């Protein structure tokens, strides 16, 4: 614990927001005003830690996912896994920050869990991992991605084929217009060649960006990809969100079966959870 005190960590912690420390033995298990210690029984793969300094190691994203499995609900774990596999970062206040490469992937987490079978939380982590929606590029894409892909028993709409930021090849005769050989769809449905694009004011505040966005949309239509635009105003209440989901399903031609009352209740609860202050999500 003395080493932790001396280390210059890149974040603040306090008696209200404590630092959680993993220690090797019982002698080191001494809680302090600003820190809580934990012990882990059993061996751990080398991929469990990232080196921060000579004295301190930080849990890897994969090990973090496993540790949280013992204390989080299945929905919380799915959301955390989706953020870990997302292509953007968030600030300490929970605000959307900037695009970046995902810190891990479902494949890497699955490979890690295969090395710790029988560990506390491993089965629950594996169950949650099946529903993680990777490669999203904003909190709003996480809302749409999980709402579409999760099964109805978890409050989703049951379209697991949806893929966030799927890369499509642009035909040769259209590449000059975009200036690229490929383009990415925010949420792509391969069976119906459909795409949902989220238009965020944070990224569309100038004419140049708007022009690029519309060019992409025109190219997708020219490539035979049906597009639907989503905006904050369409998604910022459950009633508007529900109407948008119906409209998108109809526009893309996705198969549909009427939901039961129990399913409708679960869908409302999922929306409420993903947009609540207790969630990592922020409407942006």
């Amino acid at each position: 614990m003395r080493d932790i005190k001396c280390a210059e960590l890149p974040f603040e912690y306090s008696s209200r927001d404590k630092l959680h420390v993993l220690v090797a033995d019982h002698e080191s298990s001494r809680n302090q005003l600003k820190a809580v210690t934990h012990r882990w029984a059993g061996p751990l793969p080398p991929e469990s830690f990232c080196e921060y300094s000579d004295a301190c190691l930080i849990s890897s994203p994969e090990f973090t996912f496993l540790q949280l499995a013992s204390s989080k609900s299945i929905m919380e774990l799915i959301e955390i896994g989706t953020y870990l596999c997302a292509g953007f970062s968030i600030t300490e206040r929970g605000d959307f920050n900037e695009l970046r490469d995902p810190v891990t992937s479902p494949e890497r987490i699955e490979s890690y869990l295969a090395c710790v079978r029988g560990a506390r939380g491993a089965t629950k982590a594996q169950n949650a991992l099946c529903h993680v929606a990777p490669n999203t590029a904003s909190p709003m894409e996480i809302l749409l991605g999980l709402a579409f892909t999760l099964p109805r028993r978890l409050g989703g709409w049951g379209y697991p084929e949806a893929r966030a930021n799927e890369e499509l090849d642009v035909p040769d005769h259209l590449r000059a217009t975009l200036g690229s050989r490929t383009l990415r769809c925010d949420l792509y449905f391969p069976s119906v060649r459909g795409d949902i694009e989220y238009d965020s004011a944070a990224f569309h505040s100038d004419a140049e960006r708007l022009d690029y966005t519309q060019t992409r949309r025109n190219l997708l239509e020219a490539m035979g990809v049906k597009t639907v635009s989503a905006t904050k105003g369409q998604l910022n209440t459950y009633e508007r969100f529900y109407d948008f989901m119906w409209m998108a399903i109809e526009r893309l031609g996705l198969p549909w079966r009427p939901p039961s009352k129990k399913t409708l209740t679960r869908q409302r609860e999922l929306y409420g959870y993903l947009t609540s202050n207790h969630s990592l999500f922020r409407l942006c």
Side-chain angles (χ1 to χ4, degrees), residues 78-105:
I78 292 169
E79 183 194 26
I80 290 167
T82 299
Y83 271 90
L84 288 174
C85 297
F88 67 95
S89 60
I90 54 176
T91 67
E92 292 181 15
R93 298 187 306 272
D95 301 320
F96 177 90
N97 191 11
E98 60 184 13
L99 298 178
R100 56 146 172 80
D101 291 334
V103 297
T104 189
S105 66

Side-chain angles (χ1 to χ4, degrees), residues 75-147:
M75 192 60 244
E76 288 174 319
L77 203 55
I78 292 169
E79 183 194 26
I80 290 167
T82 299
Y83 271 90
L84 288 174
C85 297
F88 67 95
S89 60
I90 54 176
T91 67
E92 292 181 15
R93 298 187 306 272
D95 301 320
F96 177 90
N97 191 11
E98 60 184 13
L99 298 178
R100 56 146 172 80
D101 291 334
V103 297
T104 189
S105 66
E107 292 76 19
R108 287 170 58 184
I109 296 175
E110 183 173 26
S111 177
Y112 180 83
L113 293 177
C115 298
V116 292
R117 287 194 178 96
R120 183 183 181 190
T123 299
K124 186 177 180 182
Q126 186 65 60
N127 291 337
L129 183 62
C130 297
H131 303 298
V132 164
N135 302 319
T136 55
S138 72
M140 193 64 80
E141 287 185 23
I142 287 182
L143 170 64
L144 290 169
L146 290 179

Side-chain angles (χ1 to χ4, degrees), residues 1-13 19 51-58 92:
M1 295 300 292
R2 186 180 300 110
D3 293 332
I4 293 295
K5 289 182 178 180
C6 296
E8 295 183 3
L9 298 176
F11 49 81
E12 298 292 331
Y13 59 96
L19 177 68
E51 185 174 351
Y52 176 72
S53 68
D54 292 339
C56 298
L57 300 175
I58 297 176
E92 292 181 15

Side-chain angles (χ1 to χ4, degrees), residues 56-247:
C56 298
L57 300 175
I58 297 176
S59 293
S60 67
E62 298 79 23
F63 186 30
T64 297
F65 188 71
L66 172 61
Q67 292 177 87
L68 290 172
S70 61
S71 61
K72 300 297 182 182
S73 70
I74 191 73
M75 192 60 244
E76 288 174 319
L77 203 55
I78 292 169
E79 183 194 26
I80 290 167
T82 299
Y83 271 90
L84 288 174
C85 297
F88 67 95
S89 60
I90 54 176
T91 67
E92 292 181 15
R93 298 187 306 272
D95 301 320
F96 177 90
N97 191 11
E98 60 184 13
L99 298 178
R100 56 146 172 80
D101 291 334
V103 297
T104 189
S105 66
E107 292 76 19
R108 287 170 58 184
I109 296 175
E110 183 173 26
S111 177
Y112 180 83
L113 293 177
C115 298
V116 292
R117 287 194 178 96
R120 183 183 181 190
T123 299
K124 186 177 180 182
Q126 186 65 60
N127 291 337
L129 183 62
C130 297
H131 303 298
V132 164
N135 302 319
T136 55
S138 72
M140 193 64 80
E141 287 185 23
I142 287 182
L143 170 64
L144 290 169
L146 290 179
F148 270 108
T149 62
L150 285 177
R152 291 187 170 197
R153 62 183 175 81
L154 292 177
W157 295 61
Y159 298 99
E161 64 163 306
R163 303 171 187 171
N165 285 283
E166 180 81 355
E167 192 171 62
L168 301 183
D169 290 327
V170 177
D172 292 342
H173 65 285
L174 295 175
R175 288 176 182 173
T177 303
L178 186 66
S180 175
R181 300 171 63 90
T182 62
L183 58 75
R184 293 183 180 274
C185 300
D186 285 353
L187 195 62
Y188 183 63
F189 298 79
S191 69
V192 294
R193 288 186 62 79
D195 173 40
I196 294 176
E197 294 283 311
Y198 176 61
D199 294 336
S200 169
F203 297 100
H204 300 136
S205 57
D206 56 75
E208 182 179 352
R209 184 67 186 179
L210 283 170
D211 181 69
Y212 176 76
T213 300
Q214 192 56 53
T215 299
R216 287 181 70 258
R217 195 151 297 149
N218 290 340
L219 280 173
L220 285 167
E221 292 286 351
M223 292 165 56
V225 177
K226 293 173 285 189
T227 62
V228 177
S229 297
T231 62
K232 177 181 177 180
Q234 292 175 289
L235 308 176
N236 61 3
T237 69
Y238 177 72
E239 289 71 25
R240 292 174 180 174
F241 171 79
Y242 185 82
D243 288 343
F244 171 82
M245 295 291 283
W246 268 103
M247 182 270 296

